[in-house]
Amino acid sequence: MTLSEVTNIAGEAGDFTVTVKEAPRYVDMDKCIACGACTDKCPKKVDSEYDAGTGKRKAIYVKYSQAVPLKYQIDGDNCLRLNAMRKGKEKLPCGFCEKVCDAGAINYNDTEKIHEINVGAVVLAPGFEAHDPTEAQVWGYGVYPNVITAMQFERYLSATGPTEGHIVRPSDGREARKIAFLQCVGSRDTNLCGNSFCSSVCCMYAIKEAVMAKDHVDGLETDIFYMDMRTHGKEFDKYLEKAKNDAGVRFVRSRVNAIEPHVDSGDLRLKYINDEGVPKEEYYDMVVLSVGLETPKHVLELAETVGIEITKDNFAKTADFAPVQTSREGIFTCGAFAGPKDIPQSVVEGSAAAAAVADLLAPSRNELTKEQVWPEERDISTEEPKVGVFVCHCGSNIAGFVDVEAVEEYAATLPHVEYVERNLFSCSQDAQEKIA
Ligand code: SF4
Ligand code: SF4
């Protein structure tokens, strides 16, 4: 179920009723073949959440190119036509996506749906959101364009990002020559953000980004400013040593106390106290903030609604010897909701949660199993063979070059052909179901 949100969990272990709110997609998932024609024509551009605001997306879009299922959706808040419909306007603008969608997948009248699902156990794996450093004014985030978060820098590093992997300054597009990474932004800092915990992943991702950036720009200097590097994990410390000794990443043990603009050059002056207590300052093209992990507000609201206890750091409360069991029996958790952690640890916890569910539900196993009923078999060895032919237009990809109607007519004249049909897109879900 996509674009969906759990709003309530009623009942008890072994017999829960989960209420799920499914937002309208305005695109029929069975018909959309992800051709992208709608996005090309859509005139409305907004900041891309996936690019962390470093690039733009259209009002009809796919969240990212590896999205599963790969189906487009309309952002109802930004679509010109849906906004006019919501305001009750008679004359509706735009509608280009509907005009160019050969699959007929656009449905402006789609609505929110509420589902109630009966389950024996629940695993809450809502993930995390990155700390927003805007409020802590010392970093200059949101004020100086060349101060960005690590999530944004990740997009700059990516070949599918806004600069196609070129490390350039947001302020003037000039290639960066010296970049500072600041650790523990939004973590281990009760003064600026109230988060006392270590986010556990930022040291490793900062080292990775600093090493990768050097591969992208010849002669680039990358300096990491830290309190202490927490590279726990298999071979992680070896990676740190390689970054230091082979890649030439500089590690500066320090406390940064200010970032200031240097005249109008776009350069940034970093002021810090080094580990001997001496005040220092250095100049950088860009500053990357290694932001920490937090539980999203809507997840905290859900936890309150369903009666899950939360720690003082806003993570799901679990026990040392039952790390995936929440405070409510039958509801489990895994990943960053139980505390910040990286992907391998989250995967291990996912397996642990699945095992805990299997353990809880083992006594009821097979109670709801339905026997598969197959069509009765008959002997066809003496019958004539029968062939079905499905001619695909592939939108205009095939139909634009091949006379598909003539192909259909010709196929019908061939021996043993019993059925011929043309499909706009034979790969679409509704065509597949028809063929089956
Ligand atoms: S099939 Fe229609 S909705 Fe899907 S990507 Fe193509 S044009 Fe857009
Ligand atoms: S109706 Fe217009 S603005 Fe809305 S998604 Fe389609 S093309 Fe974009």
Side-chain angles (χ1 to χ4, degrees):
M1 226 178 257
T2 58
L3 305 180
S4 299
E5 185 189 343
V6 172
T7 56
N8 197 20
I9 303 172
E12 57 189 356
D15 185 16
F16 287 116
T17 301
V18 181
T19 309
V20 179
K21 188 168 77 181
E22 184 184 2
R25 174 180 284 271
Y26 305 107
V27 172
D28 186 332
M29 293 229 288
D30 289 344
K31 292 182 178 167
C32 176
I33 54 148
C35 64
C38 49
T39 291
D40 290 344
K41 285 283 180 252
C42 177
K44 181 71 181 178
K45 280 186 185 173
V46 292
D47 281 348
S48 157
E49 299 84 356
Y50 182 63
D51 282 331
T54 59
K56 298 280 181 194
R57 65 160 170 84
K58 298 290 186 70
I60 185 162
Y61 68 113
V62 64
K63 274 199 171 160
Y64 45 92
S65 39
Q66 297 91 356
V68 178
L70 191 56
K71 304 289 174 184
Y72 279 59
Q73 67 185 82
I74 296 181
D75 167 0
D77 293 337
N78 285 298
C79 167
L80 303 173
R81 193 177 190 90
L82 285 170
N83 266 299
M85 285 168 72
R86 286 173 185 178
K87 287 177 188 150
K89 292 197 176 163
E90 271 182 30
K91 200 165 175 325
L92 298 176
C94 198
F96 290 131
C97 51
E98 189 179 33
K99 285 185 197 119
V100 298
C101 179
D102 287 340
I106 307 296
N107 173 14
Y108 297 121
N109 297 314
D110 199 4
T111 52
E112 178 182 289
K113 295 171 194 71
I114 303 291
H115 306 272
E116 295 220 318
I117 305 167
N118 184 236
V119 295
V122 176
V123 179
L124 294 176
F128 65 92
E129 67 185 8
H131 171 75
D132 179 358
T134 317
E135 300 235 321
Q137 291 166 1
V138 288
W139 313 120
Y141 182 74
V143 180
Y144 312 133
N146 294 333
V147 178
I148 61 172
T149 67
M151 292 295 281
Q152 292 174 314
F153 191 66
E154 193 74 37
R155 296 308 298 147
Y156 279 109
L157 280 173
S158 171
T160 62
T163 58
E164 297 174 346
H166 296 290
I167 309 297
V168 294
R169 306 200 311 179
S171 66
D172 53 12
R174 204 193 74 201
E175 191 170 73
R177 290 163 305 199
K178 196 173 176 193
I179 302 175
F181 292 80
L182 268 52
Q183 297 312 104
C184 300
V185 174
S187 313
R188 305 169 71 197
D189 186 348
T190 47
N191 285 335
L192 290 177
C193 64
N195 291 343
S196 60
F197 55 88
C198 167
S199 285
S200 152
V201 298
C202 335
C203 287
M204 283 308 290
Y205 77 55
I207 300 172
K208 182 205 77 173
E209 288 186 348
V211 170
M212 280 179 73
K214 279 175 160 291
D215 283 342
H216 287 233
V217 184
D218 263 356
L220 176 73
E221 291 177 52
T222 53
D223 299 350
I224 297 182
F225 291 80
Y226 71 102
M227 285 192 275
D228 55 287
M229 294 304 288
R230 295 189 161 178
T231 50
H232 56 92
K234 196 174 180 187
E235 310 257 298
F236 285 7
D237 203 53
K238 205 187 256 180
Y239 187 69
L240 181 148
E241 290 303 319
K242 273 185 80 169
K244 205 186 292 179
N245 301 324
D246 300 349
V249 176
R250 179 174 160 238
F251 290 82
V252 187
R253 187 154 199 242
S254 57
R255 294 294 283 164
V256 175
N257 49 29
I259 297 172
E260 296 167 349
H262 175 51
V263 288
D264 289 332
S265 62
D267 294 352
L268 298 158
R269 179 173 35 231
L270 200 83
K271 292 184 168 181
Y272 63 95
I273 313 283
N274 73 8
D275 58 355
E276 288 168 351
V278 181
K280 297 266 184 187
E281 58 180 49
E282 286 186 57
Y283 293 85
Y284 289 89
D285 287 314
M286 286 167 80
V287 171
V288 179
L289 306 177
S290 296
V291 286
L293 279 51
E294 291 174 353
T295 303
K297 192 164 166 268
H298 69 93
V299 176
L300 293 174
E301 286 165 2
L302 173 68
E304 192 176 345
T305 307
V306 303
I308 300 288
E309 274 183 59
I310 294 295
T311 65
K312 70 172 180 38
D313 290 323
N314 283 341
F315 296 106
K317 194 170 184 181
T318 57
D320 286 348
F321 290 103
V324 295
Q325 171 66 62
T326 69
S327 58
R328 186 167 164 194
E329 199 197 347
I331 302 185
F332 303 91
T333 185
C334 61
F337 185 35
K341 58 184 63 73
D342 65 5
I343 296 168
Q345 276 183 291
S346 300
V347 171
V348 169
E349 273 195 2
S351 303
V357 168
D359 181 41
L360 174 75
L361 301 182
S364 333
R365 189 164 287 165
N366 299 329
E367 278 179 17
L368 299 175
T369 308
K370 287 188 191 139
E371 205 177 318
Q372 180 78 50
V373 183
W374 300 103
E376 210 175 305
E377 285 186 15
R378 60 189 171 83
D379 182 6
I380 56 166
S381 58
T382 55
E383 292 179 19
E384 284 289 308
K386 291 178 179 175
V387 178
V389 178
F390 297 87
V391 182
C392 181
H393 288 221
C394 195
S396 57
N397 290 336
I398 293 175
F401 299 93
V402 175
D403 185 348
V404 283
E405 285 171 20
V407 173
E408 181 188 27
E409 274 173 33
Y410 174 69
T413 65
L414 295 174
H416 305 302
V417 170
E418 288 281 322
Y419 184 82
V420 188
E421 184 185 303
R422 281 181 289 116
N423 306 114
L424 205 47
F425 293 103
S426 293
C427 59
S428 69
Q429 193 68 28
D430 55 342
Q432 290 281 308
E433 275 164 18
K434 243 176 156 183
I435 292 169

